[in-house]
Amino acid sequence: MQKEGFSPKEIIPIVNSVIVKVNKIPLNKQIAELEKLAPELLKKEKKERDFTLPKLLNAEKGKVVTRFPPEPNGYLHIGHAKAAIVDHEYARIYDGKFILRFDDTNPENAQIEFYEAQKEDLRWLKIEWDEEFNTSDHLEEHYRLAEQLIKQDDAYICVCSTEEIKHGRFHGKECNCCGNTCGDSMDLWKDMLNSSVEGSILRLRGDITCDNTAMRDPTLFRIIDKPHPLHGDKYRVWPTYDFAGAVEDSISGVTHPFRTKEYELRDECYFKLLDLLKLRKPHLIEFARLSIEGMPVSKRKIKPLIENGSVSGYDDIRLPTLRGLKKRGILPEAIKQFVLEQGISKVESSVTFSLVAAANRKIIDPIAKRYFFVKDPVKLIVENAPEKIKEINFHPINKTLGSRTVKTGKTFFVQNSDMKELKVGDIFRLKGLYNVKIKEKNKDVLTEYADENLIPGSAKIQWTTDKFVEMSVFIPHFIYIDEKYNADSLERADGFAEEAVLKLKTDEIVQFERFGFVRIENIDDKITGFFAHK
RNA sequence: GCUCCCGUGGUGUAGUCCGGCCAAUCAUUCUGGCCUUUCGAGCCAGCUACACGGGUUCGAAUCCCGUCGGGAGCACCA
């Protein structure tokens, strides 16, 4: 508009006067007029939102490299899944490379079993990596770079106590070690590596008065005299996260490293280190941690529960670990969908589990077989019951799932809660079978056969015959409420399932009609269910 | 205390960089209806949001200043 010589200032008054005129016309005439002039403006079309991740800055097809850098110190949870999925997804979108890197530079944390366990978790998520390595395998290179920093006098050895260092950093005061020359530091560094000196650390010469406290001469290397799960006693000087993370991202060619936003303050340190080392600088991106309401992710909260037996282990269905989610019948595809829906914003938020459930339901509803499970069963007798051999489909729409055949007599079991809703004289339908009329409600419920025609609006409830299978379904609830462990977080629903569930195998996810989606597990020949969601 | 990040309906999220196409997206939840031999799915409708206060501008969710609220960091843990 301005290009054509008009300015908004000139046009706005004209527009305003026209609006006044148009508004004087009755609404229905306005609509009629618009219908003639531009009918397309009257339709409001629904926009579809796609859940692809936003474009990456400085990204070129074929040249994007991402990485997922877990510390092998536990099983992966939904938070890891977010990082891994985002990393993996970007590499895929840009035809790039995705690296799995174990950040195992603290022998006190790294544990041998978790290298493989985490890979299993990733494979279950259907995440494949193009390259895999351990940061601990690059230690010699880290040492070389450390020495480079010392030679440049950009780092120095500090032998002060933790307390002194803390104090100095807090008040922005240098310690005496800061005056160490590069010669001094190099000698002390060699001592760290080769002798049994204790307590020395290598510190970056940052800025002890910097507003960003992460820059107040952060620790780059420290001594940890503990055998490493992969390298044993070979090394005792280990890089900290600040050093190892920056260096590894750079030298392994990562172009777009992602991390959670609690590291944001360390960005400055990250880039300063790479500057001093004359290494390539990747494009760092931070996002908020992902947390699900009532399902804590932190080890601080989960570990005690495992140790005191409040939960069965890291695969407890109340936990947001990948193993826990798997156990309750959440599919990896649903987790991926859920994560991508959340995107990579920096807003700290707590998401309801129903978003996970919705994603999962969308996938399993069309393919999950339906079965009858009767919670808190009561006996139901049908007078004049015709003996039937009835074939009932496993799915209302998806006929390829087949059917089962049930032989019925006059004894059934139905849910106590359903019977409470009905009174003597009511007619309801044994779902898939026929109608019955309630005659008496005592300990058992006495009914009589009441025709087979469908009665619109009547209750249709699930049932079993007297050939039932006793089983329990475990239902998870919030494990933490207001920062407190919820002792009622695991509910057990006991009841009778129809005989056909005996043919189910471990890991099958079915729907118990009017109950919910349940993953089946055969434990010691006893069939058990784990509740996923409604 | 200091520094940094964040603030869009009940819950998430798009839009914020680069002001106008935003009487604000999509999902989920909830409510009502339709449909259905499930309380599931599907379909339709509805509710509810730019934290607050100033400023800049013809025009602000978007830019500036301030306030408030939430989070993070101030580790020899990542």
Side-chain angles (χ1 to χ4, degrees):
Chain A
M1 209 158 51
Q2 271 159 331
K3 272 183 200 158
E4 291 164 36
F6 299 103
S7 82
K9 257 188 176 150
E10 296 170 66
I11 291 172
I12 297 285
I14 303 171
V15 171
N16 281 338
S17 69
V18 173
I19 287 171
V20 170
K21 270 188 219 161
V22 171
N23 280 341
K24 279 186 184 147
I25 305 168
L27 190 64
N28 53 359
K29 290 225 172 108
Q30 285 182 35
I31 293 170
E33 196 66 19
L34 235 198
E35 196 84 51
K36 270 190 268 169
L37 292 170
E40 71 277 5
L41 292 180
L42 285 168
K43 275 182 235 143
K44 191 167 186 182
E45 57 184 281
K46 231 180 180 177
K47 284 181 228 162
E48 285 265 317
R49 211 188 121 202
D50 64 338
F51 289 105
T52 49
L53 266 359
K55 278 211 175 69
L56 238 36
L57 242 42
N58 312 327
E60 224 179 293
K61 209 148 184 115
K63 292 189 178 165
V64 168
V65 181
T66 61
R67 115 261 105 141
F68 174 59
E71 184 180 35
N73 70 337
Y75 297 97
L76 265 27
H77 55 63
I78 187 77
H80 293 112
K82 174 177 179 179
I85 287 167
V86 168
D87 292 329
H88 177 254
E89 191 67 8
Y90 270 123
R92 208 188 52 78
I93 291 170
Y94 285 95
D95 294 327
K97 186 164 83 171
F98 172 62
I99 299 172
L100 170 62
R101 175 179 97 213
F102 287 104
D103 263 347
D104 55 350
T105 54
N106 186 342
E108 289 185 329
N109 293 347
Q111 285 172 259
I112 191 70
E113 66 263 38
F114 292 122
Y115 291 83
E116 200 44 52
Q118 293 186 345
K119 285 199 268 182
E120 270 174 32
D121 289 346
L122 286 176
R123 285 190 204 107
W124 176 73
L125 261 186
K126 299 204 164 77
I127 286 184
E128 288 156 15
W129 48 99
D130 304 305
E131 200 180 313
E132 174 189 334
F133 61 85
N134 311 309
T135 303
S136 65
D137 289 334
H138 298 167
L139 227 52
E140 309 288 350
E141 176 68 2
H142 287 230
Y143 288 169
R144 195 186 64 73
L145 292 166
E147 285 166 22
Q148 185 184 328
L149 283 180
I150 296 169
K151 279 181 203 151
Q152 292 169 194
D153 201 27
D154 288 320
Y156 62 94
I157 300 289
C158 177
V159 296
C160 295
S161 72
T162 315
E163 268 316 300
E164 285 169 314
I165 291 172
K166 200 173 175 175
H167 189 265
R169 300 188 77 196
F170 190 82
H171 295 284
K173 292 256 162 50
E174 289 177 349
C175 68
N176 293 333
C177 308
C178 191
N180 282 338
T181 64
C182 26
D184 300 334
S185 285
M186 191 55 88
D187 290 344
L188 291 164
W189 167 256
K190 295 290 180 195
D191 286 346
M192 269 173 85
L193 293 177
N194 303 321
S195 83
S196 57
V197 291
E198 275 175 39
S200 319
I201 57 171
L202 182 70
R203 290 227 259 168
L204 176 71
R205 243 182 243 290
D207 175 0
I208 201 76
T209 62
C210 187
D211 274 344
N212 182 353
T213 48
M215 292 306 288
R216 325 248 259 223
D217 293 14
T219 305
L220 267 19
F221 284 82
R222 78 292 209 197
I223 295 167
I224 301 174
D225 265 318
K226 199 165 184 205
H228 187 278
L230 260 25
H231 303 281
D233 296 321
K234 190 172 174 194
Y235 306 109
R236 59 178 217 121
V237 175
W238 295 94
T240 57
Y241 171 81
D242 277 325
F243 187 90
V247 163
E248 285 300 324
D249 283 349
S250 185
I251 61 181
S252 65
V254 176
T255 58
H256 295 78
F258 290 85
R259 54 185 188 182
T260 45
K261 65 175 198 151
E262 66 265 25
Y263 296 115
E264 261 183 323
L265 262 352
R266 323 202 75 87
D267 286 9
E268 199 179 344
C269 180
Y270 185 102
F271 292 119
K272 167 135 190 179
L273 270 172
L274 295 181
D275 249 337
L276 295 172
L277 292 166
K278 294 170 191 71
L279 290 174
R280 180 191 57 92
K281 281 181 260 178
H283 185 83
L284 254 186
I285 300 161
E286 269 112 5
F287 53 68
R289 294 191 95 110
L290 174 58
S291 59
I292 299 177
E293 192 189 354
M295 299 178 98
V297 129
S298 75
K299 277 211 185 56
R300 202 191 83 243
K301 282 188 173 170
I302 296 179
K303 221 175 163 192
L305 298 181
I306 290 175
E307 280 164 1
N308 69 24
S310 299
V311 299
S312 60
Y314 278 99
D315 66 344
D316 192 285
I317 55 172
R318 290 165 285 179
L319 264 22
T321 52
L322 262 21
R323 285 166 195 236
L325 293 167
K326 175 188 176 193
K327 190 168 182 176
R328 68 186 279 185
I330 305 298
L331 298 176
E333 292 82 1
I335 292 176
K336 182 175 172 186
Q337 178 64 29
F338 164 72
V339 163
L340 294 178
E341 275 172 21
Q342 297 313 307
I344 51 171
S345 91
K346 289 212 239 178
V347 186
E348 62 267 355
S349 56
S350 190
V351 182
T352 38
F353 185 79
S354 53
L355 288 171
V356 180
N360 202 53
R361 201 182 290 123
K362 209 154 279 166
I363 299 168
I364 61 178
D365 185 79
I367 52 171
K369 288 183 183 173
R370 317 283 137 132
Y371 286 86
F372 290 165
F373 168 73
V374 176
K375 178 185 163 183
D376 300 330
V378 291
K379 195 185 247 183
L380 182 125
I381 309 291
V382 182
E383 286 180 352
N384 309 319
E387 293 212 346
K388 292 249 176 199
I389 296 176
K390 187 82 180 175
E391 190 184 342
I392 304 173
N393 288 330
F394 277 132
H395 195 282
I397 302 156
N398 187 348
K399 301 287 183 260
T400 64
L401 293 175
S403 62
R404 74 284 204 187
T405 304
V406 189
K407 197 174 159 198
T408 66
K410 62 178 200 140
T411 308
F412 296 86
F413 289 90
V414 291
Q415 229 160 249
N416 189 231
S417 57
D418 285 328
M419 289 306 106
K420 280 187 186 149
E421 306 263 308
L422 297 163
K423 54 186 192 301
V424 172
D426 284 350
I427 295 180
F428 68 91
R429 188 176 186 83
L430 295 169
K431 191 166 185 282
L433 237 205
Y434 50 68
N435 306 317
V436 296
K437 182 176 184 179
I438 303 181
K439 288 182 74 178
E440 272 176 50
K441 277 172 77 179
N442 299 313
K443 187 168 151 284
D444 299 341
V445 177
L446 184 65
T447 64
E448 65 181 357
Y449 175 77
D451 208 340
E452 309 215 352
N453 296 326
L454 269 180
I455 304 168
S458 73
K460 286 119 193 164
I461 68 172
Q462 79 277 24
W463 46 272
T464 71
T465 65
D466 52 4
K467 289 220 173 66
F468 53 80
V469 180
E470 267 185 89
M471 74 175 286
S472 303
V473 178
F474 290 94
I475 306 169
H477 300 291
F478 286 179
I479 197 163
Y480 267 93
I481 295 173
D482 296 333
E483 299 293 303
K484 280 215 306 275
Y485 172 69
N486 172 16
D488 302 321
S489 50
L490 189 64
E491 178 187 345
R492 198 181 83 190
D494 298 322
F496 299 165
E498 62 175 293
E499 226 181 353
V501 300
L502 286 177
K503 294 214 177 97
L504 287 171
K505 295 190 191 73
T506 291
D507 283 340
E508 279 195 71
I509 301 168
V510 301
Q511 189 201 51
F512 284 163
E513 293 205 37
R514 308 206 305 136
F515 183 84
F517 291 94
V518 167
R519 182 180 149 274
I520 296 296
E521 201 169 304
N522 267 303
I523 308 167
D524 302 332
D525 266 351
K526 193 177 181 319
I527 201 156
T528 303
F530 295 98
F531 185 81
H533 46 77
K534 273 239 153 207

